[in-house]
Amino acid sequence: MRWLVLIAAVVTLGTGVGRADDGRLQWPLRPRPTVTRVFDAPSPDWQRGHRGVDLAGVPDQPVYAAGPATVVFAGTLAGRPVVSLAHAGGLRTSYEPVEAVVRAGQLVDSSTALGRLVPGHAGCPVAACLHWGAMWGPASRADYVDPLGLLASTTIRLKPLAG
């Protein structure tokens, strides 16, 4: 099921208003960061897991939108500074801890700095880590996906369905 969601994500990102040139996302930290913690989808969805990836950065480093989107939240959530974006087709991405320079309702693209990375992400093995998440659908019933699979630099390989 998760593979079908990923395939739908790639197809959906390639269609509609505000799509990237090739429909894929870009790294939110530049240059390309080291992944310090990988995506670990819980099963079932309500159990513990890591619903995103952690990327190594440095304090005050600019954090960019991963692709064309609308800012839906920029502020503090559960004591952490967060930015959340709504992309075409129902994809949402989140970035934390990020001190925002954007505001809700603002249109952004991959050249837009959302804010600056701040230290303090729990479990981060370096000076500062960005937690980057991606999900399809509304938060109340979201299907979390690995954002690394949506990157332009990730090769897509389709495998036949078992039958």
Side-chain angles (χ1 to χ4, degrees):
M1 179 63 173
R2 295 238 185 245
W3 284 106
L4 293 177
V5 171
L6 178 58
I7 292 167
V10 172
V11 170
T12 303
L13 282 174
T15 62
V17 177
R19 66 181 171 86
D21 291 341
D22 64 356
R24 307 281 305 278
L25 299 182
Q26 302 299 313
W27 287 97
L29 294 179
R30 297 170 194 155
R32 180 180 176 161
T34 299
V35 176
T36 64
R37 186 171 174 198
V38 297
F39 181 77
D40 180 20
S43 182
D45 287 340
W46 52 266
Q47 288 190 343
R48 293 176 60 103
H50 193 238
R51 293 166 176 84
V53 295
D54 290 348
L55 306 174
V58 296
D60 297 323
Q61 181 174 358
V63 177
Y64 295 92
T70 301
V71 177
V72 292
F73 183 82
T76 302
L77 183 64
R80 297 182 307 264
V82 177
V83 177
S84 181
L85 306 179
H87 301 265
L91 177 69
R92 288 190 182 235
T93 54
S94 61
Y95 311 76
E96 66 175 89
V98 176
E99 187 175 279
V101 296
V102 293
R103 66 189 184 301
Q106 183 175 340
L107 298 176
V108 296
D109 62 30
S110 60
S111 68
T112 306
L114 302 174
R116 66 177 191 85
L117 182 61
V118 296
H121 183 61
C124 179
V126 296
C129 286
L130 175 70
H131 176 80
W132 181 35
M135 66 182 182
W136 291 100
S140 62
R141 61 181 204 279
D143 189 9
Y144 292 91
V145 295
D146 185 347
L148 299 181
L150 303 175
L151 288 167
S153 58
T154 301
T155 303
I156 296 175
R157 290 187 177 88
L158 300 178
K159 296 182 178 184
L161 296 173

